[in-house]
Amino acid sequence: MPARKDKILVIGASGQIGVELTLALRKQYGNNNVVASDLREENPLLKGTGPYVSMDVMNKEMLHVQVIRQNITQIYLLAAILSATGEKNPNLAWHLNMQGLLNVLDIAREEKLHKVYWPSSIAVFGPTSPKQLCPQQTVIEPTTVYGISKYAGEFWCNYYFNRYGVDVRSIRYPGLISYKSAPGGGTTDYAVEIYTEALEQKKYNCFLSEDTYLPMMYMPDAIRATLELMNAPADQISVRTSYNVSGMSFSPKEIGASIQAHIPDFTMTYKPDSRQQIADSWPQSIDDSVANKDWGWKPQYDLSLMTKDMLENLRK
Ligand code: NAD
Ligand code: AKB
């Protein structure tokens, strides 16, 4: 179990992962020991559950002041620009994704923070990486600015660990599917939209082609993976760039069929846009045997379990 005296700052807490991770951390560490922060206003699901500060991760001085003032010992950095939005403004994506991370790593070094969490993505992989069961270590030649920033970020994490002893840990998340907070501009967002459209409209026009397989994960698995990695003893962490983790792999046609099992008159059409090219550059499935060996990672949700749970919760 983690030391109770830890005090955590979550940056980007109002986003798709931030809301659920903040709530999970508050359960583990106590509400007042997890400070949520974001550029945006506090997400309604966080209101009343613990402290919130409005903060820009690019403002290093303000971030540093908050870390000292609040006696922060761990930072979870979730603020980033994702793949599809990143291609619309590559300079901004590079700037936020890199400088935000460097600000956090510098402060972690100076203030001797206990731990830092920073997520990478399957977007580090490119067209030359293996498509099936893409290994932990392989050819990595990303083609999106988001993927480039994640790959560079992984090596900054590794550098700060080796050079300064900062205990920074990372996971290459697959596309994440959830019902609590909306996704923020990724290529895998279709797999969230499809559920709300199925319930509201009984039809969905997908921006990827029907046979585009991608690595995906249900949010409860992603939150559990994050907590398991962060709670693992440091000597079990052999990867200081970022861990591959796997959940499931499916195509738009298959997720459509899993929804039709619950909503028989649900129909799908396909109109691939610029996000198709991004999806085609990524692997279809991920080999996570290193995460399994190091800290016991095992996913619990497959497509049909996830669909049942998503529809039940969205109906509520
Ligand atoms: P999101 O876009 O939903 O949330 C990001 C949050 O960061 C937003 O609430 C935004 O307001 C905030 N933010 C943006 N700029 C900021 C700034 N300058 N200062 C403070 N906050 C700022 O993203 P997410 O899906 O929750 O992703 C979180 C992390 O996980 C990112 O690093 C992302 O690359 C990574 N990731 C996400 C997925 C996924 O499918 N959601 C997959 C792989 C990796
Ligand atoms: C995106 O599609 O950009 C994200 C990711 C896989 O990193 N969901």
Side-chain angles (χ1 to χ4, degrees):
M1 277 304 282
R4 292 294 298 176
K5 63 180 175 349
D6 267 314
K7 183 131 187 230
I8 295 176
L9 176 66
V10 182
I11 304 172
S14 289
Q16 190 194 6
I17 303 172
V19 169
E20 300 204 36
L21 190 55
T22 301
L23 293 172
L25 287 166
R26 283 183 174 159
K27 244 190 205 155
Q28 185 177 321
Y29 288 89
N31 284 356
N32 289 331
N33 294 323
V34 180
V35 181
S37 75
D38 204 292
L39 255 191
R40 294 196 242 179
E41 61 186 25
E42 186 177 19
N43 185 290
L45 291 175
L46 295 180
K47 284 211 161 91
T49 68
Y52 176 83
V53 290
S54 174
M55 200 177 57
D56 183 352
V57 70
M58 302 302 279
N59 186 338
K60 190 176 176 187
E61 248 172 70
M62 187 181 164
L63 173 60
H64 205 156
V65 166
Q66 284 294 343
V67 166
I68 293 169
R69 190 182 289 161
Q70 309 256 10
N71 292 314
I72 297 299
T73 62
Q74 296 190 30
I75 296 182
Y76 286 64
L77 170 58
L78 304 172
I81 290 180
L82 278 73
S83 59
T85 310
E87 292 312 291
K88 291 186 192 137
N89 197 337
N91 287 333
L92 182 68
W94 175 256
H95 193 51
L96 172 65
N97 295 1
M98 280 296 87
Q99 199 54 51
L101 174 61
L102 288 171
N103 287 350
V104 167
L105 289 174
D106 265 345
I107 291 169
R109 171 171 68 97
E110 284 168 41
E111 298 305 325
K112 300 195 170 31
L113 299 192
H114 297 170
K115 280 178 201 163
V116 173
Y117 179 73
W118 171 83
S120 182
S121 161
I122 51 125
V124 292
F125 299 117
T128 50
S129 304
K131 284 277 169 214
Q132 304 301 336
L133 292 176
C134 190
Q136 177 68 46
Q137 282 176 315
T138 183
V139 177
I140 298 189
E141 296 179 327
T143 51
T144 61
V145 66
Y146 174 65
I148 299 170
S149 73
K150 288 295 182 187
Y151 198 40
E154 289 187 5
F155 280 89
W156 276 119
C157 292
N158 195 48
Y159 184 86
Y160 271 72
F161 172 72
N162 286 317
R163 173 128 195 221
Y164 305 118
V166 176
D167 186 353
V168 46
R169 305 180 183 194
S170 177
I171 283 174
R172 289 172 180 155
Y173 290 131
L176 299 181
I177 295 135
S178 64
Y179 57 87
K180 287 191 181 159
S181 179
T187 304
T188 58
D189 292 7
Y190 91 85
V192 179
E193 291 167 11
I194 192 170
Y195 287 107
T196 45
E197 295 288 300
L199 285 169
E200 284 166 15
Q201 313 287 342
K202 293 210 166 28
K203 60 180 184 182
Y204 180 63
N205 187 21
C206 186
F207 58 75
L208 297 182
S209 65
E210 63 177 14
D211 53 356
T212 308
Y213 282 84
L214 284 172
M216 300 280 193
M217 183 178 277
Y218 196 31
M219 191 62 88
D221 270 344
I223 299 297
R224 190 170 52 80
T226 309
L227 298 182
E228 284 178 7
L229 171 67
M230 292 304 279
N231 290 336
D235 60 6
Q236 284 178 16
I237 311 297
S238 71
V239 175
R240 290 294 179 166
T241 48
S242 189
Y243 278 100
N244 277 10
V245 294
S246 175
M248 57 190 100
S249 170
F250 57 76
S251 64
K253 193 175 172 184
E254 286 178 355
I255 190 175
S258 84
I259 292 172
Q260 275 156 356
H262 299 263
I263 308 173
D265 51 349
F266 171 63
T267 59
M268 280 185 78
T269 48
Y270 301 90
K271 193 164 185 268
D273 65 17
S274 58
R275 289 168 281 192
Q276 183 69 47
Q277 206 184 350
I278 301 177
D280 287 341
S281 77
W282 291 347
Q284 298 183 348
S285 63
I286 297 291
D287 173 0
D288 60 2
S289 48
V290 180
N292 175 269
K293 180 172 147 285
D294 283 4
W295 42 277
W297 169 245
K298 251 195 175 79
Q300 284 175 353
Y301 283 88
D302 62 13
L303 178 57
S304 62
L305 255 184
M306 174 176 79
T307 294
K308 185 170 173 289
D309 201 62
M310 278 292 285
L311 293 174
E312 269 172 21
N313 280 290
L314 285 170
R315 278 191 174 116
K316 283 181 200 161

mmCIF file of all heavy atoms in Angstrom, residues 82-84 120-123 146 173-176 185-189 282, ligand 2:
data_model
loop_
_atom_site.group_PDB
_atom_site.id
_atom_site.type_symbol
_atom_site.label_atom_id
_atom_site.label_comp_id
_atom_site.label_asym_id
_atom_site.label_seq_id
_atom_site.Cartn_x
_atom_site.Cartn_y
_atom_site.Cartn_z
ATOM 1 N N LEU A 82 -4.229 15.691 -28.265
ATOM 2 C CA LEU A 82 -4.238 14.328 -28.806
ATOM 3 C C LEU A 82 -4.071 14.310 -30.340
ATOM 4 O O LEU A 82 -3.920 15.352 -30.965
ATOM 5 C CB LEU A 82 -5.501 13.600 -28.342
ATOM 6 C CG LEU A 82 -5.356 13.014 -26.913
ATOM 7 C CD1 LEU A 82 -5.386 14.074 -25.848
ATOM 8 C CD2 LEU A 82 -6.430 11.980 -26.620
ATOM 9 N N SER A 83 -4.111 13.100 -30.906
ATOM 10 C CA SER A 83 -3.647 12.924 -32.295
ATOM 11 C C SER A 83 -4.381 13.772 -33.344
ATOM 12 O O SER A 83 -3.744 14.450 -34.147
ATOM 13 C CB SER A 83 -3.723 11.452 -32.680
ATOM 14 O OG SER A 83 -5.047 10.975 -32.563
ATOM 15 N N ALA A 84 -5.718 13.721 -33.344
ATOM 16 C CA ALA A 84 -6.456 14.399 -34.422
ATOM 17 C C ALA A 84 -6.338 15.918 -34.275
ATOM 18 O O ALA A 84 -6.054 16.630 -35.240
ATOM 19 C CB ALA A 84 -7.915 13.959 -34.408
ATOM 20 N N SER A 120 1.993 7.851 -22.100
ATOM 21 C CA SER A 120 2.316 7.864 -23.519
ATOM 22 C C SER A 120 1.143 7.208 -24.247
ATOM 23 O O SER A 120 0.028 7.129 -23.693
ATOM 24 C CB SER A 120 3.629 7.131 -23.762
ATOM 25 O OG SER A 120 3.975 7.185 -25.126
ATOM 26 N N SER A 121 1.356 6.752 -25.456
ATOM 27 C CA SER A 121 0.234 6.269 -26.282
ATOM 28 C C SER A 121 0.743 5.273 -27.313
ATOM 29 O O SER A 121 1.919 5.307 -27.702
ATOM 30 C CB SER A 121 -0.392 7.481 -26.990
ATOM 31 O OG SER A 121 -1.163 7.075 -28.098
ATOM 32 N N ILE A 122 -0.185 4.450 -27.806
ATOM 33 C CA ILE A 122 0.148 3.580 -28.941
ATOM 34 C C ILE A 122 0.483 4.411 -30.173
ATOM 35 O O ILE A 122 0.982 3.879 -31.161
ATOM 36 C CB ILE A 122 -1.016 2.601 -29.272
ATOM 37 C CG1 ILE A 122 -2.340 3.378 -29.401
ATOM 38 C CG2 ILE A 122 -1.147 1.526 -28.207
ATOM 39 C CD1 ILE A 122 -3.044 3.161 -30.686
ATOM 40 N N ALA A 123 0.233 5.732 -30.098
ATOM 41 C CA ALA A 123 0.558 6.638 -31.212
ATOM 42 C C ALA A 123 2.065 6.786 -31.418
ATOM 43 O O ALA A 123 2.490 7.372 -32.410
ATOM 44 C CB ALA A 123 -0.059 8.011 -30.964
ATOM 45 N N TYR A 146 1.640 14.257 -32.562
ATOM 46 C CA TYR A 146 1.295 13.685 -31.248
ATOM 47 C C TYR A 146 2.207 12.487 -30.939
ATOM 48 O O TYR A 146 2.789 12.395 -29.860
ATOM 49 C CB TYR A 146 -0.176 13.260 -31.291
ATOM 50 C CG TYR A 146 -0.703 12.522 -30.089
ATOM 51 C CD1 TYR A 146 -0.786 13.134 -28.849
ATOM 52 C CD2 TYR A 146 -1.176 11.205 -30.213
ATOM 53 C CE1 TYR A 146 -1.305 12.456 -27.751
ATOM 54 C CE2 TYR A 146 -1.703 10.535 -29.122
ATOM 55 C CZ TYR A 146 -1.768 11.158 -27.902
ATOM 56 O OH TYR A 146 -2.289 10.493 -26.813
ATOM 57 N N TYR A 173 -1.055 4.061 -23.366
ATOM 58 C CA TYR A 173 -2.472 3.673 -23.424
ATOM 59 C C TYR A 173 -2.898 3.391 -24.867
ATOM 60 O O TYR A 173 -2.523 4.127 -25.781
ATOM 61 C CB TYR A 173 -3.370 4.802 -22.937
ATOM 62 C CG TYR A 173 -3.354 5.141 -21.480
ATOM 63 C CD1 TYR A 173 -3.204 6.468 -21.079
ATOM 64 C CD2 TYR A 173 -3.539 4.186 -20.490
ATOM 65 C CE1 TYR A 173 -3.231 6.833 -19.736
ATOM 66 C CE2 TYR A 173 -3.566 4.540 -19.142
ATOM 67 C CZ TYR A 173 -3.406 5.864 -18.772
ATOM 68 O OH TYR A 173 -3.435 6.215 -17.454
ATOM 69 N N PRO A 174 -3.763 2.390 -25.042
ATOM 70 C CA PRO A 174 -4.495 2.247 -26.311
ATOM 71 C C PRO A 174 -5.608 3.306 -26.349
ATOM 72 O O PRO A 174 -5.704 4.130 -25.437
ATOM 73 C CB PRO A 174 -5.095 0.837 -26.212
ATOM 74 C CG PRO A 174 -4.523 0.215 -24.988
ATOM 75 C CD PRO A 174 -4.067 1.329 -24.095
ATOM 76 N N GLY A 175 -6.474 3.292 -27.364
ATOM 77 C CA GLY A 175 -7.631 4.176 -27.380
ATOM 78 C C GLY A 175 -8.535 3.838 -26.201
ATOM 79 O O GLY A 175 -8.837 2.668 -25.962
ATOM 80 N N LEU A 176 -8.968 4.877 -25.457
ATOM 81 C CA LEU A 176 -9.734 4.615 -24.225
ATOM 82 C C LEU A 176 -11.216 4.921 -24.429
ATOM 83 O O LEU A 176 -11.578 5.939 -25.028
ATOM 84 C CB LEU A 176 -9.167 5.442 -23.078
ATOM 85 C CG LEU A 176 -7.700 5.144 -22.739
ATOM 86 C CD1 LEU A 176 -7.225 5.990 -21.571
ATOM 87 C CD2 LEU A 176 -7.488 3.661 -22.445
ATOM 88 N N GLY A 185 -10.370 14.686 -28.626
ATOM 89 C CA GLY A 185 -9.775 15.010 -29.929
ATOM 90 C C GLY A 185 -8.822 13.968 -30.469
ATOM 91 O O GLY A 185 -7.859 14.288 -31.151
ATOM 92 N N GLY A 186 -9.101 12.695 -30.184
ATOM 93 C CA GLY A 186 -8.249 11.613 -30.678
ATOM 94 C C GLY A 186 -8.853 10.894 -31.879
ATOM 95 O O GLY A 186 -10.010 11.130 -32.247
ATOM 96 N N THR A 187 -8.049 9.992 -32.446
ATOM 97 C CA THR A 187 -8.480 9.190 -33.599
ATOM 98 C C THR A 187 -9.392 8.051 -33.156
ATOM 99 O O THR A 187 -10.208 7.557 -33.921
ATOM 100 C CB THR A 187 -7.211 8.630 -34.294
ATOM 101 O OG1 THR A 187 -6.384 9.744 -34.625
ATOM 102 C CG2 THR A 187 -7.538 7.835 -35.534
ATOM 103 N N THR A 188 -9.239 7.629 -31.899
ATOM 104 C CA THR A 188 -10.047 6.506 -31.402
ATOM 105 C C THR A 188 -11.379 6.967 -30.795
ATOM 106 O O THR A 188 -12.138 6.143 -30.290
ATOM 107 C CB THR A 188 -9.250 5.705 -30.339
ATOM 108 O OG1 THR A 188 -8.893 6.595 -29.277
ATOM 109 C CG2 THR A 188 -7.991 5.095 -30.935
ATOM 110 N N ASP A 189 -11.660 8.273 -30.866
ATOM 111 C CA ASP A 189 -12.883 8.807 -30.223
ATOM 112 C C ASP A 189 -14.165 8.190 -30.782
ATOM 113 O O ASP A 189 -15.211 8.215 -30.123
ATOM 114 C CB ASP A 189 -12.988 10.330 -30.411
ATOM 115 C CG ASP A 189 -11.917 11.088 -29.645
ATOM 116 O OD1 ASP A 189 -11.022 10.435 -29.081
ATOM 117 O OD2 ASP A 189 -11.960 12.329 -29.630
ATOM 118 N N TRP A 282 -1.080 3.115 -37.203
ATOM 119 C CA TRP A 282 -0.892 2.508 -35.872
ATOM 120 C C TRP A 282 -1.023 0.991 -35.928
ATOM 121 O O TRP A 282 -1.662 0.449 -36.853
ATOM 122 C CB TRP A 282 -1.939 3.062 -34.892
ATOM 123 C CG TRP A 282 -1.735 4.516 -34.551
ATOM 124 C CD1 TRP A 282 -0.628 5.279 -34.817
ATOM 125 C CD2 TRP A 282 -2.681 5.380 -33.888
ATOM 126 N NE1 TRP A 282 -0.828 6.561 -34.362
ATOM 127 C CE2 TRP A 282 -2.072 6.656 -33.782
ATOM 128 C CE3 TRP A 282 -3.957 5.205 -33.379
ATOM 129 C CZ2 TRP A 282 -2.694 7.739 -33.186
ATOM 130 C CZ3 TRP A 282 -4.590 6.286 -32.783
ATOM 131 C CH2 TRP A 282 -3.960 7.534 -32.683
HETATM 132 C C1 AKB B 2 -5.829 9.334 -29.851
HETATM 133 O O1 AKB B 2 -6.585 8.724 -30.627
HETATM 134 O O2 AKB B 2 -5.139 10.316 -30.169
HETATM 135 C C2 AKB B 2 -5.710 8.806 -28.446
HETATM 136 C C3 AKB B 2 -4.532 7.897 -28.341
HETATM 137 C C4 AKB B 2 -4.646 6.502 -28.809
HETATM 138 O O3 AKB B 2 -3.500 8.302 -27.900
HETATM 139 N N1 AKB B 2 -6.926 8.173 -28.073
#
